Each structure stands twice: as structure tokens, then as C-alpha cells.
Amino acid sequence: MQQGSAYFIEEVSTVEETHTLSVLVDNEPGVLARVIGLFSGRGYNIDSLTVSETSHEDHISRITIVTTATPPVLQQIRSQLGRLVPVHEVADLSTFEVAPLERELALIKVAGTGDKRVEALRLADAFRATVIDATAEHFVFEMTGRKNKIEQFITIMQPLGLVEVCRTGVVALRRGQDKT
């Protein structure tokens, strides 16, 4: 039997990880401000944020938050979110064995004529982006997909005349029949 302190020294990771949190809350005024206040008041960053009502009858909304932090900070975020009064459930979708389904929507405006215009249309087709507005001088593409796919498309469009981009936050659901 080893003698010494009853306390053990736990190695704490300082490597930041990106996690997707699904937070079910009451759909009432001020709830989003309270959740965001928890992050900003403690200096935590939010990489992506989406909010939508998921059950009109029960007045429940889902807040999907993508954040990057060290494991101890992520645990603290989950704990503090769970203690807020209007919060029903906090699920870290990144901790399940099977990766969650994550998608984002982007509107991408590209201006160009001639060969650049043809190339932008060809690439949009390859990325399954849809033309939702077009004039003789520009296109607006609508694209849904994983964050990295959208970022890759935006990068490719830059030399072809990228004008502006508007993106939603990430929406995510756990795979399988379980509800979170």
C-alpha cells in the first residue's frame, strides 16, 4: 500500500477543443440574453450560435452553441448552463460516440463576367450550390453543408469575384433515435 497524500494530482489538458452544445430552454424573453451573458461574463467565446423554437406547444427552444475551450472550461460551461433556471437540458453533442449531424447555410454573392462567371457556375455545380439570384454582373449562391465545405467554397470563390457572404450558425442533432 502506497503512503502519502490522499489527494491525487490530475493532469489537466490545456489543449483547446471545439464542442457543439445543444441547450433546450423555455421560449421566453430574456433567456438568450442570460445564456449569452454566461459566456461573455466569464470571457468564453462563441464560435457559432443558432436559436429556434422546437416545440410550439411546450414553448421550448433549442440553442445550438459551438465554442472552443479547454476540457475543464467546457465542463464548467456545461455545469453553469445547466444551473440556469430556464434551461431544461444541456447536451454536449461532441462527446457522443457517433458524431452529430451538423449543417450550416450560407448565401454567397459573386460578381464576374466572361470566363470567371462560367468558372463560378461550374464550381457552384460541383459544390451543389444553388443560384437563387442572378443578374448580368453577379450571382447569389445558396449553399448548405458542413462548415469546412462552405469555407472551402468561399475560398475558391475569392479570386472569381467574391463580393460578400452571409452565414447562419451551425445547427446540429444527435444521430439515432435518442432525443437531445
Side-chain angles (χ1 to χ4, degrees), residues 93-171:
L93 300 179
S94 306
T95 60
F96 293 107
E97 290 178 18
V98 179
L101 296 169
E102 295 182 347
R103 294 295 182 265
E104 188 175 349
L105 167 71
L107 299 178
I108 301 125
K109 187 185 292 184
V110 178
T113 57
D115 289 341
K116 286 187 176 185
R117 184 177 178 87
V118 172
E119 183 66 5
L121 280 172
R122 188 186 68 73
L123 289 167
D125 186 50
F127 276 82
R128 295 186 182 144
T130 306
V131 176
I132 60 170
D133 185 48
T135 67
E137 296 85 32
H138 81 279
F139 290 108
V140 176
F141 298 108
E142 174 186 63
M143 183 176 186
T144 59
R146 295 190 58 88
K147 183 179 177 179
N148 59 351
K149 176 184 173 187
I150 291 173
E151 288 173 355
Q152 184 180 15
F153 183 71
I154 291 167
T155 301
I156 289 171
M157 288 295 139
Q158 284 176 341
L160 299 176
L162 181 70
V163 176
E164 66 181 316
V165 176
C166 181
R167 295 170 76 166
T168 64
V170 172
V171 293

Side-chain angles (χ1 to χ4, degrees), residues 73-85:
V73 170
L74 287 165
Q75 179 58 40
Q76 186 178 24
I77 289 170
R78 287 190 299 268
S79 296
Q80 290 172 347
L81 280 171
R83 286 195 294 263
L84 289 178
V85 172

